[in-house]
Amino acid sequence: MKKIIVMFLLSIFLLPITYAKYTLSDKDKLLTKSIANKISNDVNNKTPRLKTAWEMKFKNILKNKKTGSKSYELLSDILKYHMKMDLSTFNKKQYSTLNIKQTSIEKYWLNLHNNIRKNSWLRNYSYDQRLTNTAIEWSYNNYDKWKMDHKRDSNDSWYDYNKINYWFQERGVECSIKWRTTTSESIWKYGFYCKDLECSEELKKSLKIIFDIYMDEETLNYPANAHYKAIVSPNISKMWLWLTLYKSDLPDYYEYYVTTHYCTEFKN
């Protein structure tokens, strides 16, 4: 697979420079989608870390290509598919490896939100698959750098709303503006002990502690109450949960980075 991609990238460098914007043919689109799918399969079989590596590689190459040229348009199309990559295969493998019931955990987290919202006369949240990939990617990003934050670039402020919102849009998550709200991101790092073969209940108890910490923000002022505001926002309707779980050095102890992504309503 790597050989095919390397050969393609070399051919891109050798393409002649043109000055009129190149229009991709149907054959071109089949090629770019095929290349993107091969990379996607490789990422899902190994690690989401590769998604970021390929993203940086494509963006660096594009900096040196003339906008509108054939090579630029081909690479841009691959990058477009790449940014919206489906990470669900990696998703399923992680939970099954640790013998945790994924659907049970996801339902539990959703119900914690909706029980609060019901008491506040707010409509229920529902999960949307389009937020799965972004939540997976950001949880893994935090795990990969062993640091819990919202920073898309190291020099960012703690929560750069515009940059984070653009990060969502690059990945195909475009949310409508409702009372100055589009997306929101809640994160945390925690752990749990489990000596059983099946650890779903232990993980739920750990998640409940995080949720209670979020709820304790109710009396605080913004931005210190940001997690709580996301739980009870009347403007948000969609969400998704993702955990990057791993075995710690302590016996029978697991740690995880959790990300919850929220969206008002999808534009499309």
Side-chain angles (χ1 to χ4, degrees):
M1 195 278 288
K2 288 184 178 178
K3 185 176 180 181
I4 295 173
I5 296 172
V6 169
M7 292 299 291
F8 175 79
L9 292 176
L10 286 173
S11 68
I12 288 292
F13 279 116
L14 296 173
L15 286 172
I17 297 175
T18 57
Y19 296 96
K21 182 176 179 180
Y22 180 78
T23 301
L24 296 179
S25 66
D26 291 341
K27 185 177 179 180
D28 289 332
K29 292 177 182 179
L30 286 174
L31 175 62
T32 57
K33 190 171 184 179
S34 174
I35 294 291
N37 285 339
K38 290 180 186 298
I39 296 173
S40 176
N41 290 336
D42 194 42
V43 170
N44 273 291
N45 288 327
K46 294 178 181 176
T47 164
R49 185 182 297 115
L50 290 175
K51 180 180 187 293
T52 303
W54 277 107
E55 176 189 344
M56 294 299 101
K57 182 177 294 187
F58 285 133
K59 286 182 175 179
N60 285 334
I61 294 173
L62 283 170
K63 288 178 183 177
N64 298 313
K65 307 303 290 186
K66 182 174 177 60
T67 304
S69 66
K70 182 177 181 179
S71 57
Y72 184 93
E73 295 303 320
L74 286 167
L75 282 171
S76 294
D77 207 48
I78 296 174
L79 182 60
K80 178 190 70 176
Y81 286 118
H82 181 76
M83 297 303 288
K84 301 175 184 178
M85 180 187 298
D86 181 3
L87 292 165
S88 59
T89 302
F90 177 84
N91 175 340
K92 294 173 184 176
K93 284 193 300 183
Q94 179 191 237
Y95 279 101
S96 62
T97 300
L98 296 175
N99 295 315
I100 292 174
K101 297 177 181 175
Q102 178 182 348
T103 54
S104 177
I105 297 302
E106 291 170 349
K107 183 177 180 181
Y108 178 73
W109 190 246
L110 181 65
N111 286 342
L112 286 176
H113 280 70
N114 284 338
N115 288 339
I116 297 298
R117 294 178 68 79
K118 182 178 180 181
N119 292 335
S120 301
W121 298 93
L122 296 169
R123 63 174 173 170
N124 282 350
Y125 278 157
S126 61
Y127 279 139
D128 192 288
Q129 190 70 26
R130 283 169 286 188
L131 292 170
T132 312
N133 296 325
T134 59
I136 292 172
E137 187 172 347
W138 197 249
S139 285
Y140 196 87
N141 175 284
N142 278 254
Y143 161 75
D144 207 27
K145 63 191 179 188
W146 294 96
K147 186 178 181 182
M148 185 185 72
D149 64 30
H150 301 280
K151 296 181 180 182
R152 270 45 185 182
D153 293 307
S154 58
N155 294 325
D156 288 351
S157 60
W158 176 251
Y159 198 105
D160 188 323
Y161 175 82
N162 290 328
K163 186 170 285 187
I164 292 172
N165 199 43
Y166 178 73
W167 184 90
F168 273 103
Q169 291 174 3
E170 275 193 305
R171 286 151 181 81
V173 174
E174 296 193 51
C175 305
S176 301
I177 300 174
K178 298 187 72 175
W179 292 98
R180 300 178 66 185
T181 304
T182 53
T183 59
S184 186
E185 176 179 88
S186 293
I187 57 176
W188 208 262
K189 180 181 183 292
Y190 207 49
F192 60 94
Y193 282 99
C194 179
K195 296 182 179 181
D196 304 329
L197 294 176
E198 211 285 326
C199 298
S200 298
E201 293 307 312
E202 288 84 351
L203 177 52
K204 286 179 183 178
K205 290 177 183 177
S206 179
L207 284 170
K208 182 61 164 61
I209 293 172
I210 295 175
F211 189 82
D212 288 344
I213 292 172
Y214 288 173
M215 289 300 297
D216 286 342
E217 297 175 355
E218 181 176 3
T219 59
L220 303 178
N221 295 321
Y222 187 82
N225 65 351
H227 301 105
Y228 171 76
K229 294 286 285 184
I231 292 170
V232 298
S233 173
N235 304 313
I236 297 172
S237 65
K238 304 296 181 183
M239 60 178 282
W240 199 278
L241 163 79
W242 176 253
L243 312 172
T244 294
L245 294 138
Y246 58 97
K247 182 74 172 64
S248 77
D249 294 332
L250 297 173
D252 304 317
Y253 192 70
Y254 299 85
E255 294 180 310
Y256 59 91
Y257 289 83
V258 57
T259 298
T260 309
H261 278 167
Y262 302 91
C263 174
T264 51
E265 292 176 349
F266 289 95
K267 287 185 177 181
N268 298 309

